[in-house]
């Protein structure tokens, strides 16, 4: 019995999706077809690739090794195919993108829509997730990431600076004396982001000659893993929040939020386009990264009209 390429691709999808049911849904196949393809592959190779139980499916040691080797081989095949396609006059193929939810819904989505309209030969799959998904072992072509990137082998291109501000509602400002210094923030109810430690959030630019960021220990009454929820908590008068301006700018312009300590600057984040290292970066990925870079080349558009100028 010989192995079939479709069976290999199905096995890879089962590992990536974390089970037969999820893989079948993504492949638009029945669970029985997916199970048979994996079983046929195991019979052809003479090894057990998956460890099955009534509740879960996971790769065996040999299965994990086979998965890693075949993912590399498949990437090489995809790269060869894309190299030929890149010689065509128009962009073609599929772009699988992951991005933070709030930034994507507010700002990235319209940019992607404009890019898709310019290139009708492209297919798009967009996953919104605030977590940093694995780009090397996964199937994504490109990630938009916001923050301070850890050292890695990934290729990162800076798109734009993302300034942050401390803010609250006008109602909260009337009820509570606002802090006169960053040290006084600790006495206030604060709203924090669940996906990062508080010490990473409430950091401010250093004051020379000390070049270390200034950190404030906060009292977090409310914690959320979504920036729009944090913004809405702040608008409701529930405390101080430190928010990126791409989330807070419209509310500040409309008077639903006011800046606290406007003379102080929280450490800014950076918005990056990140993609896996490969000998041949697909033309469609390069084109999208260039397009996003051009759209943000003159600074963050959401900051226009705010006191303090634009960030670049």
């Amino acid at each position: 019995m010989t192995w079939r390429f479709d069976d290999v691709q199905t096995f890879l999808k089962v590992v990536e999706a974390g089970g037969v049911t999820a893989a079948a849904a993504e492949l638009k196949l029945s669970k029985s077809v997916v199970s048979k393809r994996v079983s046929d592959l195991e019979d052809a190779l003479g090894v057990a690739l998956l460890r099955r139980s009534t509740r879960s499916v996971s790769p065996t040691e040999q299965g994990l090794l086979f998965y890693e080797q075949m993912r590399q081989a498949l990437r090489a095949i995809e790269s060869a195919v894309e190299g030929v396609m890149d010689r065509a006059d128009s962009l073609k193929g599929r772009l699988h993108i992951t991005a933070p939810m709030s930034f994507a819904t507010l700002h990235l989505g319209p940019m992607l829509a404009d890019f898709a309209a310019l290139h009708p030969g492209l297919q798009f799959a967009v996953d919104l997730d605030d977590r940093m998904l694995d780009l090397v072992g996964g199937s994504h072509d490109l990630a938009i990431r916001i923050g301070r990137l850890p050292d890695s082998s990934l290729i990162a291109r800076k798109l734009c600076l993302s300034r942050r501000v401390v803010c609250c509602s006008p109602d909260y400002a009337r009820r509570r004396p606002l802090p006169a210094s960053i040290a006084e923030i600790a006495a206030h109810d604060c709203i924090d982001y669940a996906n990062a430690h508080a010490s990473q959030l409430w950091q401010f630019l250093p004051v020379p000659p000390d070049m270390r960021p200034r950190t404030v220990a906060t009292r977090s009454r409310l914690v959320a893993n979504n920036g729009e929820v944090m913004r809405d908590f702040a608008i409701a008068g529930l405390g101080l929040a430190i928010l990126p301006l791409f989330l807070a700018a419209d509310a500040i312009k409309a008077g639903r939020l006011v800046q606290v300590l406007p003379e102080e600057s929280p450490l800014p984040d950076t918005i990056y386009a990140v993609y896996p290292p490969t000998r041949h970066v697909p033309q469609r990925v390069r084109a999208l990264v260039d397009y996003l870079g051009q759209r943000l080349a003159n600074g963050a558009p959401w900051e226009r009209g705010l006191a303090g100028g634009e960030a670049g």
Side-chain angles (χ1 to χ4, degrees):
M1 184 176 181
T2 58
W3 62 273
R4 295 185 298 269
F5 191 65
D6 283 349
D7 296 345
V8 173
Q9 289 181 302
T10 301
F11 165 72
L12 298 180
K13 181 59 68 176
V14 169
V15 175
E16 290 166 0
V20 171
T21 301
E26 291 189 32
L27 294 171
K28 295 180 172 59
L29 296 171
S30 68
K31 290 191 290 183
S32 60
V33 169
V34 171
S35 294
K36 187 175 187 309
R37 285 186 177 183
V38 176
S39 296
D40 288 347
L41 180 62
E42 290 176 317
D43 290 341
L45 299 178
V47 297
L49 299 174
L50 293 179
R51 187 179 297 108
R52 301 166 175 84
S53 72
T54 55
R55 294 186 178 181
S56 65
V57 172
S58 61
T60 63
E61 183 177 350
Q62 288 177 303
L64 185 58
L65 177 62
F66 182 71
Y67 168 81
E68 292 171 347
Q69 292 175 335
M70 288 306 301
R71 276 304 306 167
Q72 294 177 7
L74 190 58
R75 282 194 178 278
I77 292 171
E78 291 170 347
S79 179
V81 172
E82 288 160 355
V84 174
M85 292 174 65
D86 283 354
R87 295 182 178 89
D89 294 334
S90 59
L91 296 180
K92 297 178 182 177
R94 185 172 183 264
L95 270 171
H96 196 180
I97 304 159
T98 177
M101 182 170 293
S102 295
F103 179 71
T105 56
L106 292 172
H107 303 289
L108 180 65
M111 290 188 276
L112 291 179
D114 291 343
F115 185 76
L118 291 172
H119 303 286
L122 286 176
Q123 299 174 343
F124 289 79
V126 182
D127 292 334
L128 303 187
D129 198 319
D130 288 345
R131 297 170 300 172
M132 289 193 179
L133 303 181
D134 180 15
L135 292 184
V136 176
S139 60
H140 294 91
D141 300 300
L142 178 72
I144 302 301
R145 290 183 174 168
I146 303 175
R148 284 145 258 169
L149 296 181
D151 292 336
S152 74
S153 61
L154 299 174
I155 301 171
R157 173 171 167 180
K158 177 182 174 181
L159 298 176
C160 184
L161 200 67
S162 176
R163 289 199 300 138
R164 304 186 301 154
V165 293
V166 181
C167 51
C168 69
S169 71
D171 177 63
Y172 185 92
R174 285 189 293 268
R175 289 188 287 109
R176 298 280 300 272
L178 293 183
S181 67
I182 64 172
E184 294 182 12
I185 291 174
H188 284 260
D189 294 329
C190 293
I191 302 161
D192 264 331
Y193 183 52
N195 285 350
H197 193 273
S199 65
Q200 296 176 301
L201 288 170
W202 297 81
Q203 289 186 316
F204 293 80
L205 290 177
V207 174
D210 186 358
M211 297 309 294
R212 292 176 298 178
R214 294 167 293 159
T215 301
V216 179
T218 58
R219 184 180 64 196
S220 302
R221 178 191 168 203
L222 299 166
V223 177
N225 68 349
N226 178 268
E228 289 171 280
V229 173
M230 294 172 58
R231 178 200 60 198
D232 293 344
F233 282 164
I235 290 173
L238 299 177
L240 307 182
I242 187 166
L243 296 171
L245 274 172
F246 71 74
L247 273 173
D250 286 346
I252 292 172
K253 293 173 188 176
R256 292 182 294 156
L257 288 176
V258 296
Q259 291 193 50
V260 178
L261 296 170
E263 71 281 1
E264 294 284 3
S265 298
L267 281 183
D269 289 325
T270 302
I271 302 174
Y272 295 96
V274 181
Y275 47 95
T278 180
R279 180 183 299 180
H280 176 80
V281 178
Q283 184 182 3
R284 60 183 180 273
V285 174
R286 296 197 306 270
L288 176 56
V289 173
D290 288 344
Y291 179 81
L292 295 176
Q294 291 167 6
R295 289 286 294 263
L296 298 173
N298 295 321
W302 48 87
E303 293 191 22
R304 292 167 191 160
L306 278 177
E310 300 175 9

